[in-house]
Amino acid sequence: MATTVVLVDDHQMFRSGVKAELGDGVEVVGEAGDVDEAIAVITATEPDVVLLDVHLPGGGGIEVLRRLHGKVRSRFLALSVSDAAEDVIGVVRGGARGYVTKTISGPELTDAIGRVAEGDAVFSPRLAGFVLDAFAATAAPPIDPELDQLTQREREVLRLIARGYAYKEIAKELFISVKTVETHVSSVLRKLQLSNRHELSRWAAARRLV
């Protein structure tokens, strides 16, 4: 049976090119150009593998991984032009099973998809050692289970709160609404079991997050 795939990339021409290059053992069952489309298509089709671009309208590949965590059986393979450390480590921490760059050939990508579908971790050759080194370098700090339960956006809001920013200033800084800021703050307070922003500031300062 063919490995089913959903292709997530905001460039339609690139998606068409990828489909043309994939071998007979892969069946593209859906496409998406932004985060919301990706969530809908992946949830509806639950493919074996999701080919996921890192930079997408609506929050990027990390947001797709965050919103679908534990909700679908699909495995994720990042396919990006970027080999920046923050991109690679971000999606791998988010749950991606591999990361390949867009210089990969059609046969190589077809093989990578099959391996990820079987549960392997796949990286472009140049990235494999880099990923291991990066995780080794970041493995030293102690795990903070309280901090780990916060989303990336919640951490951003937390840091700005700790720096004394007003809700309106945070909204402007992060290009979100004041209502969304309030929602994030409420979520952070609930997760950390704190009562107000003053306690939140002290909590952040104690962890040197300011």
Side-chain angles (χ1 to χ4, degrees):
M1 292 179 62
T3 302
T4 56
V5 168
V6 163
L7 181 54
V8 182
D9 191 283
D10 59 339
H11 294 98
Q12 195 276 329
M13 288 185 66
F14 175 76
R15 299 200 305 268
S16 297
V18 170
K19 285 194 296 182
E21 290 291 327
L22 292 175
D24 295 335
V26 175
E27 178 188 0
V28 177
V29 296
E31 298 180 42
D34 60 35
V35 169
D36 289 338
E37 284 182 4
I39 300 299
V41 174
I42 295 166
T43 302
T45 60
E46 285 213 36
D48 297 316
V49 176
V50 177
L51 280 179
L52 182 65
D53 192 12
V54 174
H55 300 290
L56 291 169
I62 292 177
E63 180 67 7
V64 174
L65 290 164
R66 185 188 70 79
R67 287 170 58 182
L68 289 177
H69 180 68
K71 296 180 180 178
V72 294
R73 61 176 180 81
S74 305
R75 294 186 169 100
F76 293 81
L77 173 61
L79 175 62
S80 176
V81 69
S82 170
D83 60 2
E86 59 269 23
D87 290 334
V88 179
I89 300 306
V91 295
V92 172
R93 285 197 185 281
R97 293 291 302 173
Y99 195 113
V100 295
T101 61
K102 291 182 177 180
T103 57
I104 194 170
S105 70
E108 289 171 336
L109 182 56
T110 300
D111 178 66
I113 290 169
R115 289 167 60 194
V116 167
E118 293 173 358
D120 289 346
V122 179
F123 296 91
S124 290
R126 197 175 74 80
L127 298 181
F130 162 72
V131 170
L132 291 173
D133 290 344
F135 272 93
T138 58
I143 295 172
D144 188 332
E146 289 185 305
L147 185 61
D148 284 348
Q149 67 182 317
L150 303 182
T151 66
Q152 184 61 39
R153 180 63 89 189
E154 287 171 348
R155 294 185 195 195
E156 292 171 352
V157 171
L158 169 62
R159 287 189 178 96
L160 293 176
I161 284 285
R163 291 171 186 170
Y165 281 57
Y167 285 2
K168 287 184 179 179
E169 293 172 325
I170 296 173
K172 184 177 180 181
E173 181 77 14
L174 299 180
F175 301 99
I176 57 179
S177 69
V178 173
K179 182 67 175 177
T180 300
V181 174
E182 293 173 350
T183 299
H184 285 312
V185 172
S186 295
S187 178
V188 171
L189 289 172
R190 175 177 52 79
K191 289 179 179 180
L192 300 181
Q193 298 183 336
L194 300 174
S195 301
N196 54 56
R197 61 179 295 167
H198 301 296
E199 290 184 3
L200 205 58
S201 295
R202 288 197 297 271
W203 187 92
R207 286 162 174 77
R208 300 182 179 178
L209 300 177
V210 183

